[in-house]
């Protein structure tokens, strides 16, 4: 009974046709023994194994993925296919760390067609390691639905990942040692964080939002991030048209939902911005109804009342003024005075002009960022503060200067900024 219940790992193997597949065939003919856990997929070259193949395999419930190719510099195509496989595995292992899977579940080995016994040794060793690790996800403490969502989010990033791998995430020297050193280096870790980590977190966040709207606090808890990081990701995503905000409920929602028109309409109504129910905004639209020439005036008045221009408001302006939505978007996105992303209830503007800079504006800005918990261009999790900078506010003798809700505060220091912001808490 104990033997029947013992964990038997499921392994998918991508084997190069010319070498590793031949080695596996020789292993079988020679009757070398290894556990029957692997299911083999023959590919023409290990370099043709796409990151999405590996991620999809884990998404389908396998416990390990094996990639086998020709020995380095023995590739049967252009002598570099196995270097491409090396790079793919190095990046996907790093992705697996962020997803919550043990990177040891992915293994790359070089096996020639004459190394049947080596194939058996590798399979015995890999199978033993997977049995020790246990079921994928469950052993790492990641729920099945959470793991699938993370893997799906990573799969959506594969085209981007392949692009940055080709341009930056590889060693400039085509030697096995150079590749091994690069993918174990701090340089690779720094590049991965710069180029992929934020994108992966945003991809996971959007996947969650396509299920239902969430508060920034809920997103932070689900993704294991800080609310400040979520606010930063949400602002970036909103500028790219991937999500939108409902200030009245402090909700973030996906901009659209794939293959679900009914849910799209329901969720859009749920996160309908409070501005559409604002009597002052309605009065502005009524005053200029049917007057296309008043577009800029309407945009300015609505933003003055609502602090930003959500998509629903732009649609309403287009309909009420009888102006094509493309024209409304063109004007709203061209002029910097208009904002397509949310602003806090208190808007902080720190001058970065030459005079203020020379008098310590950098230190003032650092202090303000630490006090309100957001960076320039961001809104805090409670939509209380938003922070901006800009050149010369026209009061050079008062530098360094900060404006909060239109009120000027001059000759500030890093310490005195706290006294000012206390009044807006």
């Amino acid at each position: 009974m104990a033997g029947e219940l013992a964990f038997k790992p499921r392994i998918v193997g991508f084997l190069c046709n010319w070498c590793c597949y031949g080695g596996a065939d020789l292993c079988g003919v020679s009757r070398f023994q290894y556990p029957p856990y692997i299911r083999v997929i023959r590919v023409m070259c290990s370099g043709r194994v796409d990151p999405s193949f590996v991620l999809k395999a884990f998404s389908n419930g396998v416990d390990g993925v094996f990639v086998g190719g020709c020995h380095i510099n023995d590739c049967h195509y252009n002598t570099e296919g196995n270097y491409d496989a090396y790079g793919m595995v190095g990046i996907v292992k790093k992705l697996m760390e962020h997803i919550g899977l043990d990177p040891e579940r992915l293994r790359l080995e070089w096996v020639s067609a004459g190394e049947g016994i080596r194939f058996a040794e590798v399979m015995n060793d890999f199978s033993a390691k997977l049995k020790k690790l246990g079921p994928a996800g469950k052993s790492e403490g990641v729920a099945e639905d959470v793991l699938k969502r993370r893997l799906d989010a990573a799969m959506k990033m594969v085209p981007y990942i392949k692009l940055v791998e080709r341009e930056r995430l590889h060693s400039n020297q085509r030697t096995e040692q150079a590749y091994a050193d690069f993918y174990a280096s701090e340089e690779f870790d720094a590049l991965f964080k710069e180029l992929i980590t934020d994108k992966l977190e945003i991809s996971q966040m959007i996947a969650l939002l396509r299920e239902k709207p969430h508060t920034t606090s809920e997103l932070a808890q689900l993704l294991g991030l800080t609310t400040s990081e979520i606010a930063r990701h949400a602002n970036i995503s909103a500028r790219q048209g991937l999500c939108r905000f409902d200030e009245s409920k402090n909700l973030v929602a996906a901009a659209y939902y794939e293959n679900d028109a009914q849910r799209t309409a329901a969720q859009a109504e749920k996160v309908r911005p409070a501005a559409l129910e604002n009597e002052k905004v309605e009065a502005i639209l009524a005053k200029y109804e049917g007057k296309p020439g008043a577009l800029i005036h309407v945009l300015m008045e609505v933003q003055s009342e609502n602090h930003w221009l959500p998509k629903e408001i732009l649609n309403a302006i287009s309909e009420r003024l009888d102006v094509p939505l493309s024209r409304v978007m063109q004007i709203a996105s061209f002029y910097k005075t208009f904002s397509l992303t949310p602003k806090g209830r208190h808007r902080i503007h720190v001058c970065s002009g030459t005079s203020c800079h020379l008098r310590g504006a950098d230190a003032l800005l650092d202090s303000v960022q630490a006090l309100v918990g957001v960076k320039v261009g961001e809104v805090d999790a409670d939509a209380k503060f938003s922070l901006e900078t800009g050149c010369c506010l026209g009061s050079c003798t008062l530098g360094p200067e900060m404006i909060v809700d239109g009120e000027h505060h001059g000759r500030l220091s890093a310490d005195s900024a706290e006294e000012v912001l206390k009044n807006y808490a």
Side-chain angles (χ1 to χ4, degrees):
M1 180 64 72
E4 291 178 6
L5 297 176
F7 169 62
K8 297 178 181 179
R10 291 184 293 173
I11 307 172
V12 167
F14 297 98
L15 310 188
C16 154
N17 177 70
W18 308 103
C19 284
C20 193
Y21 188 84
D25 192 42
L26 178 61
C27 177
V29 170
S30 304
R31 304 296 177 90
F32 298 132
Q33 299 297 307
Y34 64 89
Y37 303 143
I38 189 169
R39 295 295 178 267
V40 170
I41 298 173
R42 178 164 54 171
V43 294
M44 289 297 102
C45 177
S46 59
R48 299 294 293 168
V49 180
D50 194 86
S52 60
F53 298 174
V54 179
L55 297 171
K56 185 67 174 177
F58 283 117
S59 182
N60 286 339
V62 304
D63 302 296
V65 175
F66 174 76
V67 180
C70 307
H71 283 276
I72 288 289
N73 299 322
D74 284 342
C75 178
H76 282 60
Y77 285 92
N78 58 7
T79 74
E80 295 186 349
N82 32 31
Y83 283 112
D84 294 335
Y86 207 132
M88 182 278 295
V89 168
I91 292 173
V92 174
K93 278 178 173 281
K94 196 71 176 176
L95 268 177
M96 290 169 65
E97 287 183 29
H98 286 268
I99 288 169
L101 285 175
D102 192 316
E104 292 298 314
R105 295 184 182 277
L106 173 60
R107 184 159 177 170
L108 173 67
E109 292 286 351
W110 316 126
V111 180
S112 75
E115 293 181 313
I117 192 168
R118 171 167 165 72
F119 182 81
E121 290 170 350
V122 169
M123 284 297 100
N124 279 305
D125 183 62
F126 190 37
S127 299
K129 283 187 176 178
L130 290 177
K131 289 190 75 172
K132 186 176 180 180
L133 286 173
K138 184 177 180 181
S139 300
E140 287 91 346
V142 182
E144 184 178 348
D145 59 331
V146 173
L147 178 61
K148 185 170 178 58
R149 184 180 67 239
R150 291 176 181 177
L151 288 165
D152 289 345
M155 278 190 280
K156 287 181 170 63
M157 289 184 57
V158 166
Y160 170 77
I161 291 170
K162 290 164 70 174
L163 176 65
V164 296
E165 188 276 332
R166 186 180 66 205
E167 297 296 329
R168 297 185 66 183
L169 285 178
H170 65 267
S171 171
N172 293 322
Q173 300 178 27
R174 289 288 194 176
T175 67
E176 187 169 13
Q177 188 59 50
Y179 265 62
D181 291 344
F182 175 74
Y183 288 107
S185 67
E186 292 182 0
E187 178 190 2
F188 170 69
D189 290 343
L191 283 170
F192 189 92
K193 180 175 177 58
E194 174 191 346
L195 298 170
I196 294 179
T197 300
D198 278 1
K199 303 288 191 305
L200 180 61
E201 291 171 355
I202 288 174
S203 184
Q204 292 182 48
M205 183 185 77
I206 296 300
L208 280 171
L209 294 178
R210 285 180 180 160
E211 295 174 4
K212 66 175 185 177
H214 289 279
T215 65
T216 52
S217 299
E218 289 171 346
L219 289 170
Q221 185 176 4
L222 288 167
L223 296 177
L225 302 173
T226 65
T227 52
S228 178
E229 288 171 324
I230 292 296
R232 178 165 59 87
H233 293 333
N235 273 282
I236 292 171
S237 301
R239 285 194 290 271
Q240 296 171 342
L242 298 175
C243 72
R244 53 190 171 182
F245 297 81
D246 176 10
E247 289 181 287
S248 65
K249 300 176 182 176
N250 195 25
L251 285 174
V252 187
Y256 68 93
Y257 300 84
E258 296 175 333
N259 305 320
D260 195 346
Q262 231 178 14
R263 185 170 63 170
T264 301
Q267 297 292 5
E269 184 64 30
K270 186 175 181 180
V271 297
R272 187 177 180 85
L276 288 180
E277 301 167 4
N278 188 321
E279 292 181 1
K280 292 182 179 179
V281 170
E282 173 57 33
I284 294 169
L285 295 177
K287 181 171 66 172
Y288 294 102
E289 190 155 7
K291 299 178 181 178
L295 175 59
I296 292 181
H297 296 288
V298 173
L299 290 171
M300 291 181 68
E301 289 188 31
V302 171
Q303 173 150 306
S304 176
E305 174 61 34
N306 193 56
H307 305 306
W308 70 293
L309 302 170
K311 182 180 178 181
E312 289 81 0
I313 285 293
L314 297 176
N315 284 331
I317 291 173
S318 170
E319 293 171 5
R320 302 287 288 276
L321 271 65
D322 195 22
V323 178
L325 181 60
S326 59
R327 177 61 177 166
V328 177
M329 289 298 299
Q330 181 186 32
I331 297 297
S333 60
F334 179 78
Y335 292 103
K336 289 187 176 180
T337 189
F338 301 127
S339 174
L340 301 180
T341 57
K343 299 297 180 183
R345 296 188 295 279
H346 302 297
R347 299 177 62 181
I348 305 170
H349 192 121
V350 177
C351 181
S352 58
T354 303
S355 178
C356 288
H357 173 73
L358 293 174
R359 295 181 181 185
D362 288 348
L364 173 61
L365 180 60
D366 289 342
S367 175
V368 171
Q369 289 181 141
L371 288 168
V372 299
V374 297
K375 296 180 180 178
V376 175
E378 297 180 358
V379 182
D380 70 351
D382 298 322
K384 181 184 293 184
F385 293 108
S386 57
L387 178 60
E388 304 166 356
T389 61
C391 290
C392 197
L393 300 177
S395 306
C396 297
T397 58
L398 297 178
E401 185 185 16
M402 174 174 70
I403 298 177
V404 185
D405 296 346
E407 185 177 352
H408 289 250
H409 302 273
R411 299 190 178 91
L412 291 176
S413 65
D415 295 330
S416 59
E418 183 175 4
E419 294 302 316
V420 171
L421 293 175
K422 280 180 179 178
N423 298 322
Y424 299 92

